Amino acid sequence: MIKAIVFDIGGVLEITPPTGWVERWEQQLGLAAGSINQQLHDLWLGGSIGTVSEQAVEAGIAERLGLDEHQLAAFLADLWAEYLGTLNHELLAFFASLRPRYTTAILSNSFVGARQREQAAYGFEDCCDLIIYSHEEGLKKPDPAFYRLACERLNLQPHEMIFLDDIAVVVEAARAVGINAILYRSNQQAIAEIQALLAAA
């Protein structure tokens, strides 16, 4: 029996195509291609698993890239614009419709500050029963421990969960734990596969 349906956010509930903002900043600052992500790699990683605070990330960006207050604000605005993307209205409506028959949750590789911004922009907390963010747990997909944590929080066995994500390695890792994982390719495909699993359960 399926008891819970769990969705990813970026690339699934949020449509997040690359905006080219990092490349624009490299050009603006006269930096070599790829250098911003190299210089900020540890901040990006720490922010994604919560070992660095949002304030420390922002301070580190300003210091390493030599940004003044206004430049930092613009840099962060570009960062979050790509991170948040736009809402996948059709898929969110389907996701929300699964309640209360099923428990619904979000399992997301995230970044410090994401919960507040995503709630303000899209109200995800109002559409599901639980949100598990990597930056709040110190774990990331495809770590098997992250999936097991989701099962524990939802009080179910892996085979009682359907999980939707847009990254193949993440889906494969979920399947290895025993979860009914679906690779997102389109709204029509994802909804059809979820409905088929529910009908067969």
Side-chain angles (χ1 to χ4, degrees):
M1 176 182 287
I2 300 297
K3 295 182 179 178
I5 295 109
V6 180
F7 277 26
D8 175 43
I9 296 182
V12 177
L13 289 174
E14 293 170 352
I15 302 166
T16 54
T19 62
W21 71 276
V22 171
E23 293 79 5
R24 289 196 302 273
W25 275 97
E26 285 170 342
Q27 292 176 356
Q28 183 177 327
L29 297 172
L31 299 173
S35 61
I36 283 182
N37 283 331
Q38 288 175 354
Q39 290 186 53
L40 304 180
H41 173 75
D42 62 317
L43 295 178
W44 295 154
L45 177 59
S48 71
I49 55 173
T51 57
V52 181
S53 69
E54 186 177 359
Q55 294 75 19
V57 169
E58 294 178 0
I61 291 169
E63 179 182 356
R64 295 181 193 186
L65 300 182
L67 304 182
D68 63 28
E69 182 179 346
H70 298 293
Q71 287 175 312
L72 177 62
F75 184 95
L76 294 172
D78 286 345
L79 183 162
W80 286 109
E82 180 177 283
Y83 185 102
L84 294 171
T86 56
L87 183 63
N88 188 336
H89 290 277
E90 180 186 18
L91 197 61
L92 183 64
F94 170 72
F95 184 55
S97 76
L98 296 166
R99 298 168 79 191
R101 184 178 177 190
Y102 302 98
T103 300
T104 58
I106 286 170
L107 185 68
S108 175
N109 283 356
S110 54
F111 199 73
V112 286
R115 181 180 288 274
Q116 296 84 350
R117 286 173 174 83
E118 286 176 328
Q119 178 61 16
Y122 304 131
F124 289 146
E125 292 178 16
D126 306 318
C127 301
C128 65
D129 298 296
L130 177 68
I131 301 179
I132 305 172
Y133 281 117
S134 68
H135 74 274
E136 295 175 349
E137 305 297 341
L139 294 167
K140 292 177 65 175
K141 298 172 289 187
D143 186 339
F146 202 30
Y147 304 108
R148 287 195 286 267
L149 174 67
C151 293
E152 180 183 321
R153 293 279 172 83
L154 292 166
N155 192 28
L156 50 71
Q157 298 300 311
H159 68 272
E160 297 174 319
M161 178 197 300
I162 293 173
F163 174 59
L164 180 68
D165 200 287
D166 63 317
I167 298 175
V169 67
V170 166
V171 170
E172 295 288 339
R175 289 173 179 164
V177 173
I179 293 168
N180 301 286
I182 295 170
L183 179 63
Y184 174 88
R185 294 187 295 275
S186 71
N187 288 350
Q188 183 179 8
Q189 162 265 332
I191 291 169
E193 289 196 38
I194 290 169
Q195 289 175 330
L197 278 175
L198 294 177

